[in-house]
Amino acid sequence: MGLLTDPGVERSRLPAMLEKHHRPICLTLYVLGIIWFLALAHNNFNHGTYFSENALLPGLVQGDFEGDSRALQYLDSLKMEVEKYTSGMPYPWLVGQLTQLGLETYTHNFTLNYPLGHGKVFSGKNVYGILRASRGSSTEAIVVSTPYRPPSSLLQGTAPSVALMLAMAHFFSKQVYWAKDLIFLVTEHEQLGAQAWLQAYHRTESGAGILDYGDLEGRAGAIQAAINLEIYSSQVSHIDVKVEGLNGQLPNLDLVNLIHRLCQRETVYHTFKNKGDHPQPESFHGWLHQLKTLFAMVTSQASGVPTGNHGLFHRYGIAAVTLEGQDSQGRNRRYVSMHQLGRVLEGVCRSLNNLLERFHQSFFFYLLPSTNRYISI
Amino acid sequence: MLLTDKMWLTLGVLVTIFALVSADVEESNTFTEELLIKPFPSGHVQSHFEFTTTWRNPEISHSIENYKDFEFSHYDLFPRALGEIIEAYHVRELHLSLTQGLWRHQIWGYPVVDAPPGAQLWVWFNPTVDNLDQTWKDLVNALSGLVCASLNFIDSTNTVSPELSYRPQGIAEEWYAGNSSLMRYAALPRENVCTENLTPWKKLLPCDTRSGLAVLLHPAPLYTANYHALSIHLRPSCVDKSCTSPQLELVQALSLVQNPTVSMNGHQDWSLYHLFSTKLISVCPLASMSVIYVDITNNNNKFSLYPEPYKVRKSGSGSSFRKHAVYDINDTPPNEEFDLEAHYKSRHVYGFIPSPVLHVSRFITGYGQEGGSITVKLTNTGSEPLSVVYLEVLPWYLRLFLHTSHDENQPMYVSKLVTALDRERGWLYEAVVEVQGKSTVELSLEFTRALLKWLEYPPDANHGFYIPAATISTILPSPKNVAVNNLGGSTLGDKLILEEGEAFIRIHTETLLVSLPTPDFSMPYNVICLACTVVALAFGPIHNITTKKLVLKKVEGNASPIGRLTSKLKNIFKRGGKKEAEEVPKQDPVIVEENPLFEDREELEDIEEENEDVRIHGKTGNEVS
């Protein structure tokens, strides 16, 4: 401002000195910046996570889910069906199971006009069931989704997540406290199916003529939040929470904290970027561990590629995360059972049900050096 | 002496004639209570209570026939609280409903009385009203007190007068029914229903909840139901089919949909005790009819009733065929508590349920907080084309683009359009669309969202704002999924007898939730901080410059190192002139920093001249810069 400096008068010593030595000063400051960034991973320079949205009330109520045996039954039944469908989704079985639970079941057809390949056309079908809230008027909804992977897929099969989802649907259909509808969605062809479903739900197009998103017969109002499940086995070693979305967009930090807090409550080993919390974060090794986690997040976010189907929901203002569970491979160390997973999911859905407003309180831009520390913008 | 015998005779004849003529119109009050229980193929069970009070007397007939205000006297069964409101506010027909939950037309068919989620009020007034808007406002506030609901939120921004939808349901001549300026319609989608609304509603009943079917109305099971609608319908109706004399009919209806399949482990078994947590104890002595109907039209030996129905009534044929099990409680009063049970032979199987002839779905498309579009999908599963009247009432903060509603391929006729004025009135969009057989028609209205003034946001601004339900009215070619024939008579029993041929239905869509762009409410605090900082930083120097006085300052050498250090630090940050002062210690130059006061100007001018001389003559070797 002209009031603080007077350009007419001869310059004083400080600016002249800065100008004279600007190269070493710039270099020093740059190096200092990098050192400061590295230091952010240390607990002295970042903050512990906390809940901004008090309405979430995480883990306030004792969980009631006891349907793990039912989930295992669904898993066995699904494995038998999967043998018949090596490259597709067992649609009739899924539609039948969802209908028998009393949900409104719909299928959604979509086609992809492959832009790079000589007029090739791929088609797919998503299956979703809507559990109508018993006392609600279908103005808001929560989505629980899972990408279905046939045995011929290169990625790990998600049959246990479909089974868990069906067991949760059975449990939820008996409860009377739902204020929002629950949509149980099984998508095909990874992110393509999820993107097609979202585009059909919101009737938006991104790139004309490439993805023909078809039409949805059933809707449940405005979607408030989405949980994507990628559970690869009925006994997983830990739950990894994936947050990065398309173009580096992140969900609200409250949702991430909710998952971590509920995992803690149900004594489920939870990680971020497949790294759990270091037992001594103040030490040098703790700092190094957190630094590695931080860099993993920075690189995955910088790439702009979503780490799961949840990344496609962020554009529509829907907070979404993915819960991934790797097989524990028989290690006698602690494993997470379907029962614990069900309790976590029940707690998450109940907390999301409590919300009156969309996620707006906590941060949308943050870096996580560990599951319980954050660096905000 | 004044009256001769002849005059007495003519007087007597006239009196007799008058007595004979007026014998048709007599005073009569009737109260009937009926309950209809209907199981759905989706596993739900509907219970519909209807308490009908009819009132007929010469004054009322006169008011109805001449479109004058009612004047009630000698209240008997008709509730006085409601009667006084009707008298005071020139009401001819009134329909109020408070609903929680959404009626799922696709799996439950058409209800007896359709109501959208929240509160809905529509009233036809007498032509005698002079200031209808003021009367509407007063009526709304009076009703708000009567039913303990926040109906006072109805104001000019959400009240409309649709042209074709909501024509009178009672006796009305063509000139009256076509004059939509005499009616008002408003809906509050966010209104909740609870026991607070049930209690005053129950008090309007003649028997209250002490006897009769109203004993079944315990609050706990009512408010855990999937759908709960409380309604009051007042209309002038005909006593019988020939419609020779009119009467005033008040129908208080309570519609419930519950899901016994979930709680009974897969069986759709229901009983009065299970549905209402109480059994029927007694009969209302004031009721002329007290009947329970169970709809067994679709019962192909799936369930059986205990006790056996007193009577089975079949009515209609073809698509209007209905079969009801009738339990006339008044006729054969029960000795002890009466419980009606239905036992299903096997577990409930969730199968495919065919949709009714016309079903509607409405949703918002688009994302983000700038714009979007309201799309409604009308599906006609029948074979004949349907003319559908679509009424949309929208708040003013959704700025519609009306040109997007028209499609060349979709001919439609806009019967009424009222454009919105910010903060004064909302949108009314009423159109007539033809939906061909076995096809779907989509209508969409594009909008942009307005930014409200910061005090107009509710406390939970990020929840969003509710858009009231749209109304779809049409005449169906056959009464296939229709529940009642509203023109049939006064009691539910008469209405349940359907006739072949056309049937009128009015259905409502879902309510929508839109989130408006919400400002960051902490910004006023941030702006105040920033503005105050700027003002402080700017104000200080300006004040100094404009008000400080010029002062001579001698530069002294300081012996102590701290003194030298401080003076050095001061020198770094002070402006240029000081350097000159050190270089030429002989002269004591004067630093003119601020504008001096007027008195010192001459002195300063002298000092400036001295400085000029010093510069010109002092540095002989240097050029004058």
Side-chain angles (χ1 to χ4, degrees):
Chain A
M1 284 192 325
L3 293 160
L4 297 178
T5 61
D6 199 340
V9 186
E10 259 186 51
R11 281 179 299 197
S12 63
R13 225 179 247 174
L14 182 64
M17 188 186 68
L18 281 176
E19 200 187 344
K20 190 166 155 198
H21 303 288
H22 75 275
R23 266 180 209 264
I25 288 174
C26 281
L27 196 62
T28 324
L29 286 175
Y30 194 79
V31 172
L32 258 174
I34 293 180
I35 292 174
W36 182 266
F37 188 77
L38 295 178
L40 275 177
H42 192 271
N43 277 3
N44 281 351
F45 297 96
N46 53 36
H47 308 275
T49 54
Y50 60 94
F51 282 97
S52 300
E53 178 70 67
N54 290 323
L56 278 172
L57 301 169
L60 185 75
V61 186
Q62 177 70 23
D64 279 328
F65 179 70
E66 299 288 347
D68 40 330
S69 52
R70 185 175 279 264
L72 293 170
Q73 279 174 3
Y74 278 127
L75 184 58
D76 292 332
S77 174
L78 179 58
K79 280 193 177 143
M80 287 200 299
E81 280 294 318
V82 161
E83 282 159 25
K84 295 182 216 160
Y85 293 83
T86 44
S87 64
M89 201 156 79
Y91 306 110
W93 183 87
L94 265 171
V95 169
Q97 291 298 327
L98 285 169
T99 318
Q100 275 313 306
L101 291 171
L103 311 185
E104 292 179 19
T105 317
Y106 304 101
T107 54
H108 165 232
N109 296 314
F110 61 93
T111 53
L112 171 73
N113 304 313
Y114 193 56
L116 304 172
H118 317 287
K120 267 197 273 188
V121 172
F122 298 98
S123 71
K125 198 149 100 167
N126 297 329
V127 175
Y128 65 104
I130 305 180
L131 173 66
R132 300 286 182 192
S134 60
R135 292 158 60 195
S137 25
S138 294
T139 45
E140 300 166 295
I142 300 170
V143 172
V144 178
S145 78
T146 179
Y148 179 78
R149 292 177 189 151
S152 60
S153 155
L154 299 165
L155 303 161
Q156 288 176 285
T158 54
S161 20
V162 176
L164 179 65
M165 212 168 75
L166 288 171
M168 296 309 300
H170 173 84
F171 172 70
F172 287 157
S173 64
K174 297 211 182 319
Q175 309 305 320
V176 294
Y177 44 69
W178 296 112
K180 306 181 188 183
D181 288 355
L182 284 152
I183 303 179
F184 295 95
L185 170 68
V186 180
T187 56
E188 207 183 15
H189 297 314
E190 284 308 305
Q191 289 174 13
L192 204 57
Q195 177 68 12
W197 191 84
L198 280 168
Q199 281 192 258
Y201 199 92
H202 295 96
R203 294 270 182 99
T204 56
E205 188 124 43
S206 44
I210 307 293
L211 184 59
D212 176 17
Y213 50 75
D215 195 27
L216 289 186
E217 287 158 26
R219 282 180 169 78
I223 302 177
Q224 307 283 303
I227 308 286
N228 190 36
L229 298 173
E230 287 177 10
I231 315 286
Y232 303 134
S233 148
S234 58
Q235 285 179 350
V236 296
S237 55
H238 62 270
I239 286 291
D240 191 39
V241 179
K242 299 201 274 193
V243 299
E244 297 88 347
L246 185 64
N247 297 329
Q249 206 171 352
L250 298 171
N252 200 292
L253 187 56
D254 269 335
L255 183 60
V256 182
N257 294 343
L258 176 69
I259 312 265
H260 286 302
R261 172 73 65 91
L262 281 164
C263 284
Q264 211 178 344
R265 193 186 194 280
E266 301 293 337
T267 57
V268 170
Y269 183 48
H270 56 112
T271 63
F272 177 64
K273 293 287 169 212
N274 278 317
K275 292 181 170 60
D277 292 345
H278 198 272
Q280 287 127 22
E282 305 280 332
S283 69
F284 172 73
H285 287 288
W287 169 76
L288 204 59
H289 179 89
Q290 288 190 189
L291 186 65
K292 284 185 199 159
T293 315
L294 185 64
F295 269 121
M297 180 173 181
V298 166
T299 46
S300 71
Q301 198 180 0
S303 70
V305 176
T307 45
N309 281 1
H310 67 283
L312 303 166
F313 284 82
H314 297 147
R315 175 210 294 219
Y316 300 93
I318 303 168
V321 289
T322 295
L323 303 184
E324 190 189 38
Q326 299 278 352
D327 192 10
S328 69
Q329 282 157 6
R331 279 176 240 151
N332 278 342
R333 211 164 57 105
R334 54 197 161 170
Y335 67 87
V336 180
S337 65
M338 283 285 204
H339 183 255
Q340 287 168 289
L341 278 177
R343 289 278 172 102
V344 167
L345 202 55
E346 177 199 355
V348 170
C349 289
R350 281 197 84 156
S351 287
L352 292 174
N353 186 42
N354 284 344
L355 288 178
L356 205 58
E357 304 177 277
R358 291 173 169 258
F359 280 107
H360 66 284
Q361 294 270 22
S362 191
F363 303 98
F364 289 99
F365 301 102
Y366 48 86
L367 293 171
L368 300 176
S370 81
T371 65
N372 57 0
R373 311 288 297 183
Y374 75 97
I375 300 156
S376 73
I377 192 169
Chain B
M1 206 160 69
L2 289 162
L3 291 163
T4 61
D5 280 334
K6 208 177 177 183
M7 284 173 101
W8 272 114
L9 191 64
T10 40
L11 199 63
V13 166
L14 281 169
V15 164
T16 338
I17 290 169
F18 189 72
L20 282 169
V21 162
S22 62
D24 286 337
V25 186
E26 39 179 63
E27 179 89 32
S28 107
N29 261 289
T30 58
F31 173 67
T32 57
E33 48 179 25
E34 290 154 301
L35 167 62
L36 166 71
I37 300 182
K38 183 171 172 183
F40 288 123
S42 61
H44 299 90
V45 170
Q46 180 195 14
S47 323
H48 180 85
F49 289 84
E50 246 187 51
F51 302 95
T52 313
T53 309
T54 60
W55 198 5
R56 181 156 66 102
N57 68 27
E59 288 92 38
I60 289 178
S61 305
H62 176 78
S63 305
I64 292 172
E65 279 159 2
N66 298 318
Y67 297 87
K68 292 227 166 36
D69 297 341
F70 290 111
E71 277 161 35
F72 299 126
S73 54
H74 307 298
Y75 285 95
D76 188 0
L77 296 173
F78 196 87
R80 183 172 182 160
L82 190 61
E84 296 200 333
I85 291 178
I86 292 162
E87 275 181 312
Y89 298 110
H90 316 282
V91 170
R92 182 179 169 87
E93 202 174 306
L94 182 141
H95 300 268
L96 169 66
S97 71
L98 293 163
T99 312
Q100 166 232 306
L102 188 67
W103 182 273
R104 316 260 173 208
H105 294 97
Q106 267 186 288
I107 50 178
W108 299 340
Y110 300 121
V112 177
V113 176
D114 196 283
Q120 181 184 244
L121 174 67
W122 56 284
V123 179
W124 277 87
F125 292 92
N126 286 317
T128 53
V129 185
D130 40 1
N131 187 353
L132 193 58
D133 290 325
Q134 185 58 41
T135 313
W136 169 250
K137 198 167 162 200
D138 296 337
L139 171 67
V140 153
N141 278 291
L143 280 174
S144 170
L146 178 71
V147 294
C148 295
S150 310
L151 297 176
N152 51 331
F153 283 117
I154 294 176
D155 55 11
S156 64
T157 60
N158 47 24
T159 305
V160 291
S161 298
E163 181 71 36
L164 295 176
S165 323
Y166 298 107
R167 286 281 171 90
Q169 263 183 336
I171 297 173
E173 285 165 17
E174 189 57 48
W175 65 268
Y176 178 75
N179 187 2
S180 66
S181 63
L182 291 171
M183 77 89 75
R184 293 287 185 269
Y185 168 84
L188 293 172
R190 203 174 173 173
E191 210 36 50
N192 288 318
V193 195
C194 60
T195 30
E196 219 178 54
N197 309 113
L198 183 66
T199 311
W201 182 91
K202 283 196 284 193
K203 288 199 182 142
L204 297 175
L205 296 172
C207 276
D208 207 316
T209 46
R210 291 191 203 104
S211 55
L213 285 177
V215 164
L216 296 171
L217 299 176
H218 272 208
L222 293 184
Y223 293 102
T224 50
N226 286 31
Y227 174 85
H228 168 96
L230 208 61
S231 51
I232 297 174
H233 300 276
L234 177 88
R235 63 170 186 164
S237 69
C238 299
V239 173
D240 51 22
K241 273 241 159 92
S242 57
C243 211
T244 43
S245 54
Q247 66 182 6
L248 187 62
E249 178 190 287
L250 171 69
V251 174
Q252 286 177 254
L254 197 150
S255 226
L256 274 181
V257 175
Q258 288 157 301
N259 200 343
T261 319
V262 161
S263 42
M264 289 296 240
N265 254 334
H267 288 257
Q268 207 180 349
D269 295 348
W270 54 265
S271 70
L272 286 184
Y273 184 72
H274 179 242
L275 291 175
F276 306 112
S277 71
T278 182
K279 298 184 192 179
L280 199 56
I281 309 168
S282 57
V283 180
C284 178
L286 298 169
S288 62
M289 208 165 97
S290 200
V291 190
I292 298 180
Y293 300 96
V294 181
D295 189 316
I296 48 176
T297 315
N298 296 322
N299 179 24
N300 307 320
N301 254 338
K302 276 189 248 164
F303 66 91
S304 49
L305 294 167
Y306 298 102
E308 288 291 320
Y310 302 165
K311 202 173 77 174
V312 173
R313 185 181 78 170
K314 296 184 197 175
S315 63
S317 63
S319 56
S320 65
F321 173 71
R322 299 285 183 269
K323 196 162 145 193
H324 296 281
V326 180
Y327 294 84
D328 197 333
I329 315 290
N330 216 355
D331 223 13
T332 49
N335 301 329
E336 65 229 334
E337 292 179 331
F338 177 79
D339 192 8
L340 181 59
E341 292 172 15
H343 289 290
Y344 279 75
K345 296 195 174 64
S346 52
R347 284 178 74 90
H348 184 257
V349 174
Y350 292 97
F352 169 71
I353 299 166
S355 349
V357 177
L358 177 72
H359 64 265
V360 191
S361 157
R362 190 174 75 146
F363 46 92
I364 288 196
T365 60
Y367 64 94
Q369 292 191 318
E370 197 202 333
S373 149
I374 295 178
T375 306
V376 67
K377 248 166 69 164
L378 305 153
T379 309
N380 181 2
T381 58
S383 47
E384 293 181 29
L386 287 175
S387 274
V388 167
V389 179
Y390 164 62
L391 171 71
E392 188 79 71
V393 180
L394 297 171
W396 60 266
Y397 41 80
L398 295 184
R399 305 189 198 280
L400 297 179
F401 291 106
L402 292 168
H403 73 280
T404 57
S405 65
H406 291 264
D407 192 11
E408 293 89 45
N409 307 328
Q410 180 57 52
M412 62 189 211
Y413 162 66
V414 177
S415 55
K416 186 157 183 185
L417 173 68
V418 175
T419 52
L421 271 181
D422 274 6
R423 298 176 184 86
E424 272 178 40
R425 56 165 199 256
W427 296 93
L428 166 68
Y429 181 80
E430 192 179 27
V432 183
V433 187
E434 177 143 342
V435 187
Q436 298 299 324
K438 303 233 188 294
S439 74
T440 306
V441 163
E442 268 188 31
L443 304 170
S444 68
L445 281 167
E446 212 177 295
F447 61 86
T448 56
R449 300 165 209 232
L451 189 65
L452 302 179
K453 294 185 182 169
W454 72 301
L455 287 173
E456 288 172 350
Y457 286 97
D460 53 351
N462 277 288
H463 178 64
F465 292 78
Y466 283 87
I467 308 295
T471 312
I472 311 282
S473 326
T474 187
I475 296 180
L476 296 177
S478 82
K480 200 167 90 165
N481 305 95
V482 176
V484 291
N485 173 20
N486 264 318
L487 306 169
S490 293
T491 61
L492 183 63
D494 291 336
K495 290 189 208 169
L496 284 173
I497 299 172
L498 297 166
E499 287 171 359
E500 260 312 305
E502 295 182 333
F504 170 76
I505 55 153
R506 179 188 294 129
I507 59 179
H508 295 90
T509 63
E510 303 94 331
T511 52
L512 303 169
L513 192 61
V514 283
S515 52
L516 293 183
T518 314
D520 184 1
F521 291 106
S522 65
M523 276 317 285
Y525 163 76
N526 295 340
V527 166
I528 289 171
C529 287
L530 188 68
C532 289
T533 313
V534 165
V535 165
L537 283 175
F539 182 72
I542 290 177
H543 186 266
N544 279 343
I545 289 167
T546 51
T547 57
K548 286 284 159 60
K549 202 175 156 185
L550 182 70
V551 168
L552 283 173
K553 185 177 185 303
K554 277 200 190 304
V555 179
E556 295 163 4
N558 266 332
S560 67
I562 294 172
R564 265 188 277 136
L565 189 64
T566 47
S567 62
K568 230 181 190 172
L569 279 171
K570 274 194 219 164
N571 288 340
I572 288 171
F573 289 110
K574 267 223 181 98
R575 293 195 194 131
K578 264 301 183 200
K579 273 197 257 177
E580 222 183 308
E582 286 183 12
E583 287 164 13
V584 187
K586 278 185 289 181
Q587 299 276 339
D588 288 347
V590 171
I591 307 147
V592 182
E593 289 186 7
E594 288 100 5
N595 292 327
L597 294 170
F598 182 71
E599 295 92 52
D600 304 321
R601 192 163 288 161
E602 284 181 10
E603 203 186 313
L604 259 182
E605 280 173 7
D606 296 334
I607 297 167
E608 256 197 7
E609 281 175 24
E610 271 186 49
N611 271 355
E612 280 288 311
D613 294 333
V614 166
R615 242 188 268 131
I616 289 169
H617 302 297
K619 304 175 192 175
T620 46
N622 301 334
E623 286 181 5
V624 177
S625 57

